[in-house]
Amino acid sequence: MARVLIVEDEPHIARVMALWLSRHGHTVLETTNGKKALEVLAGESVDIIVTDMNMPEMDGVTLVEKARSDLGLKTPILLLTARCDHAAVQAQLDPFGVRLYTKPFVPSRLVADIEEQIGALSA
């Protein structure tokens, strides 16, 4: 199964994602902001990153930019947002190959999408 890094500052959302992913056999690492996520990514290998958009210290878009440019990661990334300007956010993410995912989300659908992204890597 996969190693998933969840970057989410809302504990109940992180808990729901971690619970669903671990029940499906995935190993879950968690951080609460982009700055901490970069520290984890500098020392850990993950198969996919699921990050929130709006977080303290470093937002999800900045995390994506730094993970791609500073760390050179090609790891699939799903970015969660409750913002309603999806087209503008997706335009920021397109150069990085990141998939936008809206909140609120259906946990079973999120797990299926994560597994689809991971499966695409091994195909």
Side-chain angles (χ1 to χ4, degrees):
M1 293 271 100
R3 288 174 53 85
V4 181
L5 175 60
I6 296 174
V7 188
E8 173 61 65
D9 62 320
E10 295 183 42
H12 64 283
I13 294 175
R15 190 170 41 252
V16 166
M17 284 190 284
L19 179 67
W20 274 83
L21 287 163
S22 61
R23 282 187 177 169
H24 283 83
H26 302 291
T27 301
V28 177
L29 305 170
E30 295 181 57
T31 65
T32 57
N33 64 59
K35 186 176 177 183
K36 290 179 183 177
L38 289 175
E39 292 170 7
V40 170
L41 292 168
E44 297 277 347
S45 172
V46 299
D47 298 304
I48 192 164
I49 301 164
V50 181
T51 182
D52 188 19
M53 172 78 167
N54 296 319
M55 298 176 289
E57 294 192 50
M58 182 185 296
D59 69 10
V61 173
T62 305
L63 168 59
V64 167
E65 292 170 346
K66 290 185 175 291
R68 294 287 195 245
S69 64
D70 295 358
L71 298 178
L73 293 179
K74 306 280 189 228
T75 306
I77 300 173
L78 296 176
L79 189 134
L80 302 167
T81 185
R83 289 177 42 175
C84 55
D85 58 339
H86 297 162
V89 174
Q90 188 64 60
Q92 287 181 285
L93 299 173
D94 281 343
F96 303 105
V98 172
R99 184 162 175 213
L100 186 63
Y101 208 88
T102 58
K103 285 182 178 179
F105 59 89
V106 176
S108 60
R109 184 71 239 157
L110 180 64
V111 170
D113 287 348
I114 288 168
E115 291 176 345
E116 178 182 314
Q117 290 284 313
I118 295 164
L121 292 176
S122 47

